[in-house]
Amino acid sequence: MKVVEFFFDFGSPAAYLAWTQLPALCTEAGAELVYRPLLLGGVFQATGNRSPAEVAAKGRYMHRDLRRYAARYGVPYRHNPHFPVNTLLLMRGATGLQMHQPERFADYGRAVYQAMWVDGRDMNDLAVVAEVLAAASLDPAALVALAGRQDVKDRLKAVTTEAVERGVFGAPTMFVGDEMFWGQDRLDFVREALQRGG
């Protein structure tokens, strides 16, 4: 079966937009979508890359461009007023659920992305994170405990290291086979790669 690997971090608004589009794209192509949570800060540190938000002119352009794409996709998007957000706990939570409760992974992703890039919640605040998780019928205390497990920490670190070794320098990054595509504005190329047979 054809596979799309989706390397993402909740702190990337572009990854949010890709997340809204990839399931339907993969369904249409008869491809499996494999979610690969990573730590974007670790990727930046390893590659010398940095957030567009750190370059004023680029940041202003990106905000407009993301709104354009959200309108094209017909999905809600609002720049988070609390950006940047330290996503370490959130990404460990995603990794932990993927490893130990995969049936709740999609609910978690929806809740976190909605809070971050639609509702503009302060996901740096643990009390807010707990509210967001509880509203999605997820147990905040259990998730914090899960995120603190050594096997979960090790997996997130390993996936981040693997991503860098494969050439990833930002998020979202998608792979179809060995072919890498960076950015939610590259989804047409992902579709074409799947049509070619991946």
Side-chain angles (χ1 to χ4, degrees), residues 52-165:
E54 294 181 40
V55 182
K58 189 174 184 179
R60 286 192 298 273
Y61 175 82
M62 285 290 295
H63 294 325
R64 289 194 297 271
D65 203 46
L66 290 166
R67 287 197 298 270
R68 286 187 198 117
Y69 271 98
R72 173 174 287 176
Y73 297 151
V75 298
Y77 166 75
R78 173 181 155 203
H79 179 69
N80 191 303
H82 307 286
F83 185 84
V85 174
N86 182 338
T87 59
L88 178 61
L89 177 65
L90 298 174
M91 298 317 297
R92 284 178 177 169
T95 299
L97 284 175
Q98 196 174 48
M99 292 172 69
H100 298 289
Q101 290 180 268
E103 70 281 0
R104 299 309 313 272
F105 178 80
D107 295 334
Y108 179 81
R110 274 191 297 271
V112 174
Y113 267 135
Q114 171 82 22
M116 186 89 78
W117 299 113
V118 179
D119 299 334
R121 303 293 301 274
D122 184 0
M123 299 299 276
N124 282 311
D125 185 330
L126 285 177
V128 172
V129 173
E131 285 176 21
V132 166
L133 297 178
S137 300
L138 292 156
D139 181 339
L143 264 167
V144 168
L146 184 62
R149 287 179 52 148
Q150 193 60 49
D151 63 334
V152 171
K153 294 177 181 180
D154 290 345
R155 169 71 69 86
L156 179 59
K157 186 175 181 180
V159 171
T160 302
T161 298
E162 176 199 337
V164 170
E165 289 172 350

